[in-house]
Structures are given as structure tokens and as C-alpha cells.
Amino acid sequence: MRKFFSDILKNELLSYNVDLATHLNCVFLSPLEFEKSKKLAVDIENVYLDPSLVRKEQARFYIKIFLLGLIELVHGQHPVLQHETDKNLYIRFKKMLNERYKTERTVQYYASKLAITTKKLNNITKKHCDETAINAIHNRILQEIKRLLLFSDLSHKQISLELGFSSPSALNKFVKTKLKETPTELQEELAQIYNR
């Protein structure tokens, strides 16, 4: 089960996971949050008492829900010590990015909202996730494109509107530039990976 947790954090929740393990001891759960987490833990444990291929997939979703809840608590609630200023700025950047990536796509916008220079924001993102701020923005958009291609019934035109692209061709150009394939090719590739 531990492998499931680390795989999900590494492969599926990477853009949300900002040093989660370091902060888990700082998380304070309200009684309601504790009961929700406890129920999810029991559900996960029950799946492993009688595992099957389908039930293991069910456990992945429970684990993902559990981890997303912890990540939200870590990023939104625990106090960050003064000597962790860069980490605090990075967490604020990622939180803001997750809220505004559909409309705000420039490093300048996020840097100004954080009251720092674009150079400092780039240094912070390189330090914490080994990528530039613009790559972090683009990767967040790509992550949502992949999610919509795989799990929604939206057309490419609808996805382009949903994500603030001016047209389906702008979406196509963005995906082609970043991944060297079209949205249709990406959709087929994702379907093969997840339908094995």
C-alpha cells in the first residue's frame, strides 16, 4: 500500500505535492476532517482485505482523495516558519496557479501578486521543483488538458474554451509545441495507458 501512496504522489499529484512528507507532522485535523480521513483509511484497508483488480483501482481513487485532502491542509493551513520564506512563496505560487491557470499565464502576473521579481520566482521554482516558473505554468495547463482529454466527454473545441485558449488551433499548437503530438494523438496515448 505504501508503494501506491508514493506512486500516486510522484506520478499523479506531483504538481500539488510540495514537500508533503516534511509537513505531515504539522497538519492539524479538525474533528470533522479527522473523521473523514479515518473513514477513507478504513475504506482503503477494507479493499486490501479482499483485493481484486477493480478493487485495487478503487483503492487508488480513495488514496488519491486522501492525499489531496492532506495536500490541501498542508498548503492552506499550517504555519510556515520564517526561515522557510522561499518554500512559503513557492506554496503560495502553486496555490495561486491552481486557482488561476485558466486565465493567468504569465510569470509577471504571479511574481507581481507575490510581490517579488520574475527572476526570484524562477529561482524559487527551480529550487523546489527543478523547473522555471513558465514551465510550471505550462505543465499545470498540460495536466488539465490531459485530465479533460481522458476523463471528460468535451470536444477539443470545448476544452480550448474551458482552458482559455482563443481557438482549438491555439490548443493544438500549445500541445504540439510542448509534447510534439496533437491533442488527438495525446488522447489516444492516454487511453492506451489507462485502459491496459
Side-chain angles (χ1 to χ4, degrees), residues 59-86:
R60 283 183 70 77
F61 283 104
Y62 286 143
I63 292 168
K64 201 168 175 180
I65 291 166
F66 180 75
L67 290 172
L68 283 168
L70 287 179
I71 289 167
E72 185 174 46
L73 286 170
V74 165
H75 292 192
Q77 294 182 8
H78 75 85
V80 178
L81 302 174
Q82 283 304 310
H83 69 275
E84 293 182 301
T85 305
D86 279 359

Side-chain angles (χ1 to χ4, degrees), residues 15 90 93-94 97 121-137 139-140:
S15 66
Y90 180 68
F93 166 65
K94 292 297 275 192
L97 177 59
L121 181 56
N122 271 315
N123 289 339
I124 289 168
T125 58
K126 282 180 186 173
K127 177 181 174 183
H128 290 285
C129 67
D130 201 29
E131 64 182 358
T132 62
I134 194 65
N135 280 341
I137 294 166
N139 286 336
R140 180 62 186 96

